[in-house]
């Protein structure tokens, strides 16, 4: 279970970071969401992975720690609000700049535009 | 338990909620209530300074849960100092905003008050996870405030700011998770007890957590590799918002002081001063970077935004050296620089209003009305920010210079700080002489007459630098006592033994 859990967190975080570094707002928002999923699972794991344990001290040899679940719940609520805000902001960016590039407009690459011209010219 | 501790959080919360439902009330009523709330927060902060000045720790345990099991608010001299710093700044920025900057968004005052609430939670909390929550509260208010005033120029810097801070929050959570998984606690006092006991393979985990926390606080404080978002965002923000944001980077500085003195301080055994040897060179490079930015700025607000970065570098350099004198000097400079920079943001707005289409760009333009008043304010602010005598910036910098012990670090700090101050002075003189002296003949559309509230609040905020000089003695005594209290970490951990049930303290 530990390996599977770690792999899931790793994949989510890696994909999140990759998407975050994209130049368009939609992948960035998706990246932030995936990153927060990864982080939430990570927080959950900080209370150790155990099944069928009681959350009360002294009732059993091993206990399952309830506190990380409270932390995760808080983090989920905050993450949800932040995602909503960033979605609205991205839409605003799209409307204001008529482009969904994270810098408002894509940087002008003389080499690229020349190439494009040549391609479209042919 | 002392119920005054909750006041700086409860007052803006209730005031903000009230404002939420008053979006369609007459604007004069909303303004009166909002300013009243801000002033009440200031009163509460001053009461708390009076309480904290006796040097003891006061604890407010939510739900009467015995720490470390519940969330606590802890009041000490540092927290009280930060509260007053914030609320004085907030009152003047708020008064400035009723000069017209609060129009256009019905929820401006709500957001402003929630921002103050988030800042106050961050300063009062004694719990690492609660600090995360406080950061989120102040951030979500700041996201919206940054966008206040509309216009496409704010969208892109706003988007960068939000995306960066969301990543910062994710890293904060990872750091908190790492530390919790080893220590099983997030209460700061309890962490200060548990961290020295960490051993073996867990050390690396906690150390990674500590370093990640430094990254997060560094992002908030805008130290070098993480500071490029700041100039654009601050320069584009509405003036009172930019003034209030002068405190936002200081939250990062506060968190660094709190966490790396108390939890990862000298008593932390193997983990003592984790990451602090990185901070000193970074702070100096940040300072240099800020000076270069200030020299290259082509408008006044950008120049002042770079001044924020210069201040952060100046503040963190002595803090990173970890001496009591250094922290005390940094706290003195913190008061001076925050108010001055905030005042300068307001001055820049006055300049921009008076100069018509030239705005606050550093170019020659026809003579502006109210030139004398604005230029005197600018001069006082610039002299204080650059650190020339006789104003408070000078005393702050002298205290910082005096706080380092002789050695290579002293050579570095002295040379960077002094050369940096000199170059900052050049940047300000260049901006000031072009804006106020080198005028061309021509006609500008006469602006609306300057409103009383606007000029008074700007003048008052800038004038605080003179007040700091006048009361330099008592303020310095207070900051020295604050630093002494901070480094006596065993007293902080005593709060764990304070009985909560029916206890009076």
């Amino acid at each position: 279970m530990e390996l599977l859990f770690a792999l899931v967190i790793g994949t989510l975080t890696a994909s999140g970071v990759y998407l975050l570094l994209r130049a368009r707002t939609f992948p960035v928002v998706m990246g932030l969401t995936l990153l927060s999923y990864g982080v939430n699972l990570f927080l959950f794991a900080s209370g150790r992975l155990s099944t069928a344990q009681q959350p009360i001290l002294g009732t059993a040899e091993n206990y399952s720690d309830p506190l990380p679940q409270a932390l995760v719940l808080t983090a989920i609520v905050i993450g949800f609000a932040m995602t909503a805000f960033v979605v609205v902001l991205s839409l605003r960016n799209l409307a204001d700049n008529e482009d969904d590039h994270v810098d408002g407009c894509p940087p002008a690459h003389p080499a690229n535009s020349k190439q494009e011209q040549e391609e479209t010219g042919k | 338990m002392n119920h005054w501790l909750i006041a700086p959080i409860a007052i803006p919360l209730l005031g903000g909620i009230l404002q939420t439902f008053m979006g369609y009330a007459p604007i004069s009523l909303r303004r009166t209530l909002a300013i009243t709330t801000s002033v009440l927060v200031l009163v509460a902060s001053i009461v708390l300074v009076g309480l904290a000045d006796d040097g003891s720790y006061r604890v407010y345990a939510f739900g009467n849960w015995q720490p470390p099991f519940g969330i606590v608010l802890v009041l000490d001299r540092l927290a009280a100092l930060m509260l007053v710093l914030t609320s004085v700044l907030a009152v003047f920025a708020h008064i400035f905003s009723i000069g017209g900057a609060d129009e256009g968004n019905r929820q401006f005052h709500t957001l402003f008050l929630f921002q103050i609430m988030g800042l106050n939670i961050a300063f009062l909390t004694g719990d690492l996870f609660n600090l995360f929550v406080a950061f989120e509260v102040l951030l979500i208010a700041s996201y919206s405030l940054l966008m206040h005033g509309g216009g496409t120029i704010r969208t892109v810097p706003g988007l960068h700011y939000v995306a960066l801070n969301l990543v910062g929050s994710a890293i904060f959570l990872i750091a908190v998770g790492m530390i919790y998984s080893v220590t099983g606690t997030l209460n700061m006092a309890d962490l200060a007890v548990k961290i020295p006991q960490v051993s073996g393979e867990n050390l690396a985990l906690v150390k990674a957590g500590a370093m990640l926390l430094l990254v997060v606080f560094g992002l908030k404080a805008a130290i070098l590799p993480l500071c490029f978002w700041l100039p654009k965002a601050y320069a584009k923000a509405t003036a009172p918002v930019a003034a209030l944001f002068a405190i936002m980077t200081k939250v990062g500085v506060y968190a660094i002081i709190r966490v790396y003195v108390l939890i990862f301080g000298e008593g932390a055994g193997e983990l003592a001063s984790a990451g602090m040897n990185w901070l000193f060179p970074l702070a100096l490079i940040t300072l240099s970077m800020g000076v270069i930015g200030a020299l290259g700025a082509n408008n006044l607000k950008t120049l002042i935004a770079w001044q924020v970065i210069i201040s952060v570098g100046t503040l963190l350099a002595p803090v990173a050296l970890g001496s009591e004198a250094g922290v005390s000097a940094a706290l003195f400079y913190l008061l001076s620089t925050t108010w001055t920079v905030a005042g300068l943001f307001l001055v820049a707005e006055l300049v921009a209003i008076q100069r018509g289409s030239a705005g606050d760009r550093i170019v020659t333009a026809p003579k502006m009305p109210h030139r004398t008043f604005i230029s005197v304010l600018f001069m006082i602010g610039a002299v204080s920010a650059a650190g020339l005598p006789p104003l408070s910036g000078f005393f702050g910098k002298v205290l910082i210079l005096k706080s380092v012990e002789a050695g290579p670090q002293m050579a570095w700090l002295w040379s960077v700080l002094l050369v940096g101050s000199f170059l900052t002075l050049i940047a300000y003189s260049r901006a000031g002489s072009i804006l106020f002296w080198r005028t061309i003949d021509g006609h500008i559309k006469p602006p609306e007459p300057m409103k009383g509230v606007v000029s008074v609040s700007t003048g008052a905020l800038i004038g605080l630098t003179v007040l700091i000089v006048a009361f330099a003695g008592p303020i310095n005594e207070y900051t020295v006592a604050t630093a002494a209290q901070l480094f006596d970490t065993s007293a902080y951990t005593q709060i764990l033994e304070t009985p909560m049930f029916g206890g009076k303290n």
Side-chain angles (χ1 to χ4, degrees):
Chain A
M1 186 167 71
E2 279 82 1
L3 182 67
L4 182 67
F5 201 81
L7 280 176
V8 168
I9 295 177
T11 316
L12 279 172
T13 313
S15 335
V17 171
Y18 173 78
L19 286 173
L20 198 61
L21 298 172
R22 303 277 85 197
R24 303 277 161 188
T25 48
F26 181 71
V28 170
V29 175
M30 289 306 289
L32 284 170
T33 319
L34 288 183
L35 189 61
S36 73
Y37 289 160
V39 169
N40 288 343
L41 286 176
F42 180 85
L43 259 189
F44 184 73
S46 69
R48 301 296 185 274
L49 298 172
S50 54
T51 47
Q53 304 288 350
Q54 294 177 3
I56 298 163
L57 277 173
T59 50
E61 217 167 278
N62 290 316
Y63 65 97
S64 80
D65 192 346
L67 196 86
Q69 304 184 13
L71 302 185
V72 169
L73 270 178
T74 317
I76 289 173
V77 172
I78 292 175
F80 180 70
M82 294 295 176
T83 310
F85 185 82
V86 81
V87 166
V88 173
L89 191 59
S90 311
L91 287 172
R92 175 71 179 274
N93 179 46
L94 177 62
D96 279 353
N97 296 307
E98 292 176 351
D99 195 293
D100 67 342
H101 194 274
V102 287
D103 288 329
C105 57
H109 281 301
N112 284 356
S113 56
K114 203 174 168 187
Q115 205 176 10
E116 271 171 30
Q117 270 174 6
E118 278 170 9
E119 279 169 9
T120 47
K122 280 171 192 172
Chain B
M1 239 173 17
N2 194 313
H3 288 280
W4 272 105
L5 263 69
I6 195 79
I9 300 170
I11 296 170
L13 175 66
L14 295 176
I17 292 174
L18 198 62
Q19 292 282 335
T20 315
F21 294 109
M22 284 177 39
Y24 289 89
I27 194 158
S28 54
L29 177 65
R30 278 189 281 143
R31 282 174 176 169
T32 317
L33 278 176
I35 299 289
T36 315
T37 317
S38 278
V39 172
L40 282 177
V41 176
L42 176 62
V43 171
S45 311
I46 291 172
V47 170
L48 288 184
V49 168
L51 282 178
D53 200 25
D54 66 357
S56 63
Y57 288 92
R58 283 180 176 72
V59 184
Y60 187 88
F62 286 103
N64 234 358
W65 282 83
Q66 175 74 33
F69 301 109
I71 292 173
V72 286
L73 299 181
V74 181
L75 176 78
D76 62 352
R77 286 200 178 100
L78 178 63
L81 178 76
M82 298 304 291
L83 285 176
V84 168
L85 173 68
T86 310
S87 41
V88 169
L89 174 63
V91 165
F92 289 122
H94 212 157
I95 293 176
F96 186 94
S97 77
I98 62 171
D102 60 343
E103 287 159 14
N105 177 353
R106 294 186 184 282
Q107 300 302 341
F108 176 82
H109 292 296
T110 315
L111 294 167
F112 202 94
L113 291 171
F114 283 160
Q115 169 92 65
I116 298 173
M117 178 181 78
L119 289 163
N120 290 348
I121 302 176
F123 296 139
L124 278 170
T125 186
D127 186 285
L128 209 52
F129 192 79
N130 203 226
L131 184 66
F132 163 76
V133 176
F135 273 11
E136 295 307 308
V137 172
L138 69 92
L139 280 175
I140 199 151
S142 77
Y143 298 158
S144 321
L145 280 177
L146 190 63
M147 308 300 294
H148 174 73
T152 53
I153 48 160
R154 297 195 175 97
T155 327
V156 170
L159 190 66
H160 294 178
Y161 177 71
V162 173
L164 266 175
N165 277 300
L166 286 178
V167 177
S169 308
I171 297 175
F172 199 158
L173 282 174
I174 294 175
V176 161
M178 279 177 168
I179 293 173
Y180 181 81
S181 69
V182 172
T183 59
T185 180
L186 288 172
N187 181 292
M188 289 189 195
D190 204 24
L191 278 175
V193 176
K194 295 255 172 74
I195 291 283
Q197 300 162 4
V198 174
S199 61
E201 55 184 6
N202 289 337
L203 266 178
L205 207 54
V206 177
K207 189 161 190 183
M211 297 301 252
L212 281 176
L213 276 184
L214 190 62
V215 172
V216 181
F217 299 152
L219 174 69
K220 299 281 180 286
I223 55 178
L224 183 71
L226 307 164
C227 71
F228 295 101
W229 55 272
L230 189 139
K232 259 197 228 162
Y234 280 31
K236 297 287 189 299
T238 321
V241 172
L244 184 65
F245 279 13
I247 193 78
M248 295 276 285
T249 52
K250 311 305 185 284
V251 180
V253 176
Y254 163 82
I256 288 177
I257 294 178
R258 176 68 85 201
V259 169
Y260 290 91
V261 171
L262 175 67
I263 302 178
F264 300 107
E266 282 163 9
E270 301 246 353
L271 289 160
S273 313
M276 279 298 110
N277 38 3
W278 285 85
L279 196 60
F280 184 68
L282 278 179
L284 291 186
I285 302 171
T286 309
L287 176 56
S288 325
M289 176 78 197
V291 172
I292 295 169
L295 282 172
N298 60 0
N299 67 58
L300 199 52
K301 282 183 186 164
T302 312
L303 169 62
I304 298 158
W306 282 106
Q307 175 66 44
V308 174
I309 292 177
I310 298 175
S311 315
V312 167
T314 316
L315 280 170
L316 283 179
V319 168
L321 294 179
S323 70
E324 214 176 291
V327 171
S328 153
L331 290 175
F332 186 91
Y333 185 67
L334 179 72
L335 274 184
S336 158
T337 188
T338 310
W339 287 337
T340 307
V341 168
L344 280 173
F345 270 121
L346 300 184
V347 173
E349 176 70 9
L350 294 186
V351 171
I353 295 171
Q354 301 297 326
R355 297 213 316 165
S357 60
D360 64 336
R361 276 177 296 137
I362 304 177
V363 290
T364 49
K367 275 187 186 177
M368 67 175 108
H370 308 295
R371 210 154 59 111
T372 324
F373 175 68
I374 298 176
S375 61
V376 166
L377 287 185
F378 179 77
M379 192 191 74
I380 297 175
V383 164
S384 181
L388 286 186
L391 295 177
S392 59
F394 170 73
F395 290 100
K397 284 189 178 171
V398 167
L399 285 173
I400 288 176
L401 292 177
K402 272 173 65 186
S403 73
V404 262
E405 289 161 16
Q409 287 169 330
M410 179 177 170
W412 276 108
L413 184 70
W414 277 59
S415 48
V416 173
L417 190 56
L418 291 175
V419 173
S421 303
F422 174 66
L423 293 176
T424 320
L425 185 66
I426 293 181
Y428 280 114
S429 348
R430 173 176 145 268
S433 56
I434 294 176
L435 285 173
F436 298 109
W437 288 343
R438 267 204 264 157
T439 48
I440 49 171
D441 292 329
H443 177 73
I444 46 173
K445 203 178 101 202
E448 288 175 32
M450 209 154 61
K451 284 182 184 155
V453 282
V454 169
S455 48
V456 166
S457 55
T458 313
L461 206 47
I462 290 280
L464 283 173
T465 178
V466 182
L467 206 67
I468 296 177
V469 177
F471 293 97
I475 293 175
N476 193 34
E477 270 169 32
Y478 187 88
T479 57
V480 168
T482 309
Q485 190 185 24
L486 265 174
F487 279 87
D488 183 16
T489 51
S490 58
Y492 193 102
T493 53
Q494 291 289 319
I495 63 171
L496 293 173
E497 275 120 54
T498 321
M500 279 304 134
F501 180 70
K504 278 191 193 294
N505 52 331

